[in-house]
């Protein structure tokens, strides 16, 4: 089997040290694939992009923007330059401790009907993150933000706790913090919907990908994610997430509880 050609894009907005570790781990751990790495700096207030370009500019491509374009729009900037078989969308708070990109590329090579996949994710302390998800619903969103016990059943269903997550699962929501997709499919669907500035754009792009093939949670490799759950701690972030969710419902239909249409 041919060595896969994999590209990856990271969008920065500050958090210099996490981004430094992320970039270093991608470059150093990816040994079984031909990697092209793109780093897009969304006008970081700490000048993270400029600093990291001096450190990694000979091993990665950098785009230093003059304004914050948002998550999806910034990732989309690299689409015209991609010549890879598979493309990874990577958050700057991701850390690899094994060759996860090559493993996912190999998985997609062996499963041509799969168009997008995400692996098992862990917090830095080794606790597992639940990233296999069904389509988002209003009650699931509220359950993830509000400490009301009656909402937990909706969140649990959304997080697929009724499935064996030690095994591969078909999913309806592929997390935007780390996924690998077929580059040709990403180009065909136009990447992310740029009307989302932040939040829920990953749920949206998953729905577009599902029109082209299977989307899968594949626990055959692991990735570490230093997740900071801002929406639950910040009113402004939660408001922005609600706006994005309303746009998602406009695009794909409103769902109230257990995937039912209201």
């Amino acid at each position: 089997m041919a060595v896969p050609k994999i590209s990856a894009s990271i969008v920065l907005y500050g958090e210099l040290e996490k981004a430094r570790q992320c970039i270093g781990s991608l470059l150093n751990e990816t040994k079984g694939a031909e990697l092209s790495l793109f780093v897009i700096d969304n006008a970081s207030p700490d000048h993270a992009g400029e600093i990291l370009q001096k450190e990694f500019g000979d091993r990665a491509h950098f785009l230093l923007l003059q304004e914050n374009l948002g998550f999806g729009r910034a990732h989309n900037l690299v689409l015209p330059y991609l010549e890879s078989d598979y493309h990874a969308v990577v958050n700057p708070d991701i850390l690899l401790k094994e060759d996860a990109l090559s493993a996912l590329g190999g998985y997609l090579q062996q499963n041509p009907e799969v168009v997008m996949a995400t692996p098992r994710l862990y917090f830095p302390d080794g606790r597992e993150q639940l990233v296999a998800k069904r389509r988002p619903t209003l009650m699931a969103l509220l359950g993830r933000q509000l400490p009301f016990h009656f909402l937990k059943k909706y969140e649990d269903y959304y997080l697929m706790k009724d499935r064996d997550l030690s095994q591969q699962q078909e999913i309806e929501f592929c997390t935007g913090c780390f996924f690998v997709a077929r580059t040709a499919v990403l180009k065909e669907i136009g990447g992310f919907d740029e009307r989302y500035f932040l939040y829920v754009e990953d749920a949206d792009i998953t729905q577009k990908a599902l029109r082209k093939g299977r989307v899968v949670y594949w626990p055959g490799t692991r990735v570490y994610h230093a997740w900071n759950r801002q929406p639950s701690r910040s009113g402004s972030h939660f408001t922005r997430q609600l706006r994005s969710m309303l746009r998602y419902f406009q695009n794909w239909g409103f769902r109230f509880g257990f995937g039912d249409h209201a």
Side-chain angles (χ1 to χ4, degrees):
M1 187 174 290
V3 173
K5 295 173 64 177
I6 299 178
S7 54
S9 56
I10 305 170
V11 171
L12 308 182
Y13 186 74
E15 296 193 297
L16 171 62
E17 188 52 41
K18 285 183 180 178
R20 176 182 284 123
Q21 293 180 23
C22 175
I23 293 169
S25 73
L26 287 171
L27 293 171
N28 294 332
E29 294 294 338
T30 306
K31 300 172 183 176
E34 181 183 331
L35 176 63
S36 298
L37 179 60
F38 295 82
V39 181
I40 307 99
D41 184 86
N42 252 337
S44 290
D46 62 355
H47 306 287
E50 296 174 30
I51 296 169
L52 294 169
Q53 185 177 38
K54 293 176 182 177
E55 299 178 24
F56 297 103
D58 59 337
R59 302 176 68 190
H61 310 281
F62 280 78
L63 297 175
L64 305 181
L65 306 181
Q66 299 303 307
E67 61 178 314
N68 186 349
L69 300 183
F71 180 86
R73 187 178 172 192
H75 273 291
N76 284 353
L77 290 176
V78 307
L79 288 178
Y81 305 105
L82 301 183
E83 299 178 350
S84 55
D85 303 311
Y86 314 107
H87 181 71
V89 169
V90 182
N91 267 18
D93 54 2
I94 287 289
L95 184 69
L96 301 191
K97 297 183 180 181
E98 61 190 54
D99 192 354
L101 285 180
S102 300
L104 283 158
Y107 171 77
L108 290 172
Q109 277 186 320
Q110 295 170 15
N111 296 273
E113 75 285 358
V114 177
V115 298
M116 180 183 287
T118 192
R120 211 163 191 167
L121 265 68
Y122 291 83
F123 290 99
D125 63 6
R127 290 177 296 125
E128 186 167 2
Q129 291 182 23
L130 298 178
V131 295
K133 301 186 186 77
R134 294 184 169 97
R135 283 181 62 174
T137 67
L138 177 61
M139 297 301 280
L141 171 65
L142 294 176
R144 289 175 69 75
Q145 308 301 331
L146 302 176
F148 298 135
H149 181 72
F150 76 93
L151 293 172
K152 189 175 187 303
K153 60 186 178 182
Y154 298 104
E155 181 183 14
D156 287 351
Y157 181 78
Y158 168 66
L159 295 175
M160 300 180 67
K161 289 187 178 181
D162 58 326
R163 299 292 183 89
D164 180 1
L165 298 180
S166 68
Q167 303 297 317
Q168 173 180 305
Q169 299 291 341
E170 306 278 333
I171 58 175
E172 299 175 313
F173 182 165
C174 197
T175 177
C177 69
F178 188 95
F179 69 75
V180 177
R182 296 185 184 277
T183 303
V185 169
L186 285 180
K187 290 185 176 184
E188 185 177 352
I189 65 179
F192 289 99
D193 184 335
E194 297 181 3
R195 292 175 297 175
Y196 298 89
F197 184 81
L198 187 64
Y199 303 125
V200 195
E201 64 281 288
D202 46 359
D204 185 276
I205 199 172
T206 304
Q207 290 305 307
K208 293 195 291 184
L210 281 166
R211 272 64 186 170
K212 303 298 179 181
R214 295 169 56 211
V215 177
V216 170
Y217 161 77
W218 180 64
T221 188
R222 63 175 61 191
V223 168
Y224 292 85
H225 179 212
W227 182 34
N228 179 16
R229 193 172 175 178
Q230 289 180 315
S232 61
R233 304 193 312 189
S234 164
S236 62
H237 284 285
F238 184 44
T239 299
R240 176 171 283 170
Q241 189 177 46
L242 281 174
R243 290 198 193 103
S244 293
M245 182 61 74
L246 288 174
R247 182 175 297 282
Y248 174 85
F249 287 147
Q250 288 173 346
N251 286 349
W252 302 105
F254 179 74
R255 293 193 169 196
F256 180 75
F258 294 109
D260 53 320
H261 290 279

